[in-house]
Each structure stands twice: as C-alpha cells, then as structure tokens.
Amino acid sequence: MVSSSMQTKILKVDSRCPQLELIEDAAALLRAGETVVFPTETVYGLGANGLDEKAAAKIYTAKGRPSDNPLILHIADEAQVTALVTEIPVAAQKLIQAFWPGPLTLIFKKRPVVPAIVSGGLATVALRMPSHAVARALIAAADVPVAAPSANLSGRPSPTRPQHVIEDMAGRVAAILTCEEAPIGLESTVVDVSAEVPTLLRPGGISLTELQAVVPELVIDRGVIAKNQVERPKSPGMKYTHYAPRGEMVIVRGSDEEKLKKILAAVETNSDWALLVSAETARNYQAVLDPTHIVVLASRENPVAMARNLFDKLRYFDELGATHIYAEDIDLTPATLALVNRLHKAAGHRFI
Ligand code: TXA
Ligand code: MG
C-alpha cells in the first residue's frame, strides 16, 4: 500500500470551457511520469503515461489494484490507433466510426510499444477515445496515450462525482482535475474486436442494441451474464469484486407487494439496514419503515438517471454505516443491461 502523504493538486476545471493553464499543468505532470485523476463522460479516471512502465505502475499502487488487471489506453485522436495496434478489423472501423469519441472501449492485438504492465501481460490492448471535453483536452495536451482505470480505490464503487475522487485519491496522486458529476455514471462498454467474432465483454455506456445496429454479428461473452464464473473471464476485471458497498447487499425480487413483505421480514432481524428503491415504490416503504434508511435511486422510467446515480448511492450506504442493504431488482431491458450488471455485481449475485 502507498502512504497517503503525497501532495495532491486539486484543480477545478470548467467542462464547457476547460482552462488551458490547468490542463497544461496536469498534462506536464503526465509527461513527467506522474498520476492525474481526470473526469470522463463515464466515470473519473486515474491516468498516467501509458507508454511509460514506471508511470503506469504508479496507477496500480495508487488504486491498490492487482497488476494482472489490464488498463485502458485513452487517446484523443484516431490517428494514434495505428501506432498501438497491429490491425484494425472491419468491425472495429465501423464501431469507431459510429461511437468514437464516446463510451466505447475496443480490444485490439497490441504492438510491442504497449508495455506488459498496461496490457496485463496479454497480447491485446484496450483503447478508448472519450468524448468529455476535459479528458480530450488533457490527453491531447499530454500528447501520449493515457492509461486509466476508474479512479476508485480497488473494490470501491467507481467515482462519478468530485467528492468521490477526493475521498479515494487525495494524497495518492499528483493531481486531481474535478468538474461536475459524470454524465453517464457507468463505465464504458468493452468490445473485443481482436476475437474472430466481435464480443461484448462489459456492458456500458453504449447499449447492445446500438452495437448490433452497426455490427449485427456481435455476440455477448458468457461472463457478462453468468452468475458464478467458473471459467477465467476474458475481461480480467470481471473476476474481482467490484462496485460493492461495505455492507452486504442483496437483490429483492418479486411483485411490489412481495418485495415489501420480504424486506419487512428481513429488516426485523438487524438494525443497520438500508434500502435502495425506485421513486415509484419509495412511499410504500416510507409508510412503514424509518425513512432515513431508505435511499431512492431514481424513477423506474428513467434508466439514464438510475445509471447516473447508482455508484453515488452505493457509496452513500458506506456513509450510513449500513451492514445489510436490500436493493429492489431492476427490470432487464436493452436500456438497463449495464445497470443491472453493475447492481447484481455489487450484490455479489445474492437474491431473495
Ligand atoms: O469508462 C471507462 O472505461 C473508465 C474510464 C476511466 O475510461 N475506465 C475503466 O477502466 O472502467 P477499468 O480499468 O476500471 O476497467 C477496464 C476494463 C476491465 O474490466 C479490464 O479487465 C478490461 O477493461 N480490459 C482492459 N484491457 C483488456 C484486454 N486487453 N482484454 C480484455 N479486457 C481488458
Ligand atoms: Mg474499475
């Protein structure tokens, strides 16, 4: 573990019009081999020069993350791709055309210039061109591919708001660029285009429906929906416990009445409980239970807001000191695949 004694510059940036001098300050730190936390449209990232082994190693130390979990290289310009990968298959070209810049990460066969510490020792590398103005300005100014995982301490929910990154990373990185909350709130979609058939490894900001509209042959990796992963997942990050609040979370299923009954029975046996519910059902619980333990995610009708709020609410459970968390299940639709994936992972796939 790293000591939390590093001086961290906190730089507040305007996302509509990033201040050049702040961006240049942070980019100089990246060029000097230091770590910088920056906002993206999905979640905040913890960046370092992705072609510098020593710099990339600092990411793992700051996060307390096992170094066999590969990192995404963030680029600002499509022209950077050819220097990093050996081939750009047709499916990749179509996906780049349709979704870059944006919340889509593509896995390619890597060139030797990509250090093993970035690729986790794999023969492939993950690339993403974010659309967030601050991320783009920073990567362009640094003039190197920026390796960046989500900027949370390993095992904690991904950071979507300035206070999350300050909580987790102050004292562990050279600088933190903050602006408003991340507009999407869930990590990017990961698609392996190095495989014979393009394969969805992690659902995210771009939905399956959107992907298949561009690449109809695209398939979903079994690891995305599997409850108990026996095989080694293709995306190494899928094997770690992620996104989890400190308390034990379970997903509650059934009709609204059944859920209410199950929750009433469950909370009787412990005092440090909390609920994660929809705006539509909140009143049912508030009528019979202590409202300070009831956390509203968003309206069921609004998957975008549910996604944007999820990680923030998971962190809030830690603040509440909740030891037992009961979360209403969310209906699985093409628009909620990523959200349901993160929710079920946070609960360790426990259901009642
Ligand atoms: O939205 C995002 O993707 C955010 C922002 C900061 O860009 N980044 C992010 O990074 O979520 P991270 O490290 O938390 O997740 C990257 C995922 C992991 O599941 C990792 O295993 C997978 O991508 N990955 C990276 N390189 C890979 C590779 N070569 N093959 C398969 N999976 C890979
Ligand atoms: Mg992560």
Side-chain angles (χ1 to χ4, degrees), residues 60 67-71 110 114-126 236:
Y60 294 104
S67 61
D68 67 331
N69 195 4
L71 305 173
K110 78 174 192 79
V114 178
I117 190 159
V118 166
S119 64
L122 299 171
T124 51
V125 63

Side-chain angles (χ1 to χ4, degrees), residues 63 65 150 152 158 187 242:
K63 269 187 80 97
R65 166 172 175 160
S150 48
N152 51 287
S158 295
E187 305 86 345
H242 266 152

Side-chain angles (χ1 to χ4, degrees), residues 274-290:
L275 309 184
L276 185 65
V277 303
S278 70
E280 285 78 3
T281 47
R283 223 170 295 134
N284 304 345
Y285 301 103
Q286 283 157 352
V288 283
L289 292 170
D290 179 352

Side-chain angles (χ1 to χ4, degrees), residues 28-343:
L29 288 168
L30 287 176
R31 280 195 301 271
E34 295 300 335
T35 46
V36 173
V37 169
F38 61 98
T40 85
E41 69 278 21
T42 57
V43 300
Y44 278 75
L46 164 51
N49 180 350
L51 299 182
D52 174 345
E53 259 174 70
K54 280 202 192 121
K58 291 182 183 172
I59 292 176
Y60 294 104
T61 317
K63 269 187 80 97
R65 166 172 175 160
S67 61
D68 67 331
N69 195 4
L71 305 173
I72 298 172
L73 285 183
H74 295 70
I75 57 175
D77 192 320
E78 228 181 285
Q80 288 172 282
V81 177
T82 47
L84 302 169
V85 314
T86 58
E87 67 181 294
I88 309 175
V90 176
Q93 289 167 23
K94 290 185 187 164
L95 292 168
I96 288 172
Q97 181 68 28
F99 303 114
W100 277 11
L104 176 67
T105 297
L106 298 174
I107 311 288
F108 297 90
K109 294 193 178 108
K110 78 174 192 79
R111 285 191 192 275
V113 66
V114 178
I117 190 159
V118 166
S119 64
L122 299 171
T124 51
V125 63
L127 301 187
R128 162 160 130 76
M129 190 195 294
S131 60
H132 196 286
V134 174
R136 302 201 67 189
L138 176 69
I139 300 161
D143 202 26
V144 290
V146 176
S150 48
N152 51 287
L153 285 173
S154 192
R156 296 213 73 197
S158 295
T160 55
R161 303 186 182 194
Q163 80 256 25
H164 300 162
V165 279
I166 291 168
E167 247 169 53
D168 280 17
M169 289 298 155
R172 306 176 76 94
V173 294
I176 299 178
L177 294 176
T178 64
C179 52
E180 74 282 6
E181 69 181 306
I184 295 176
L186 299 179
E187 305 86 345
S188 64
T189 301
V190 179
V191 172
D192 187 353
V193 289
S194 75
E196 227 157 272
V197 183
T199 308
L200 176 73
L201 300 186
R202 179 175 77 179
I206 305 287
S207 75
L208 184 62
T209 320
E210 290 172 288
L211 294 171
Q212 286 177 333
V214 175
V215 177
E217 70 271 24
L218 183 136
V219 297
I220 309 185
D221 182 59
R222 291 170 54 193
V224 172
I225 20 190
K227 286 189 184 141
N228 297 304
Q229 286 166 17
V230 197
E231 297 167 74
R232 185 184 159 81
K234 285 212 195 71
S235 178
M238 306 278 287
K239 73 177 181 245
Y240 301 106
T241 312
H242 266 152
Y243 325 116
R246 296 195 184 96
E248 185 180 279
M249 186 159 143
V250 297
I251 306 294
V252 186
R253 292 181 148 167
S255 67
D256 287 349
E257 270 163 63
E258 285 163 346
K259 280 186 282 209
L260 180 62
K261 250 191 221 158
K262 284 179 185 179
I263 286 174
L264 286 177
V267 301
E268 241 170 48
T269 58
N270 58 73
S271 55
D272 292 326
W273 55 269
L275 309 184
L276 185 65
V277 303
S278 70
E280 285 78 3
T281 47
R283 223 170 295 134
N284 304 345
Y285 301 103
Q286 283 157 352
V288 283
L289 292 170
D290 179 352
T292 59
H293 295 228
I294 300 168
V295 176
V296 178
L297 181 56
S299 162
R300 279 174 183 173
E301 305 298 319
N302 193 345
V304 172
M306 289 194 281
R308 202 189 296 126
N309 293 340
L310 180 67
F311 290 144
D312 183 59
K313 301 302 181 191
L314 294 185
R315 281 175 180 255
Y316 181 63
F317 288 127
D318 291 345
E319 259 172 63
L320 278 180
T323 57
H324 293 78
I325 301 151
Y326 302 95
E328 285 186 330
D329 203 5
I330 293 170
D331 285 341
L332 188 63
T333 70
T336 63
L337 180 62
L339 175 66
V340 170
N341 169 269
R342 304 304 192 277
L343 180 72

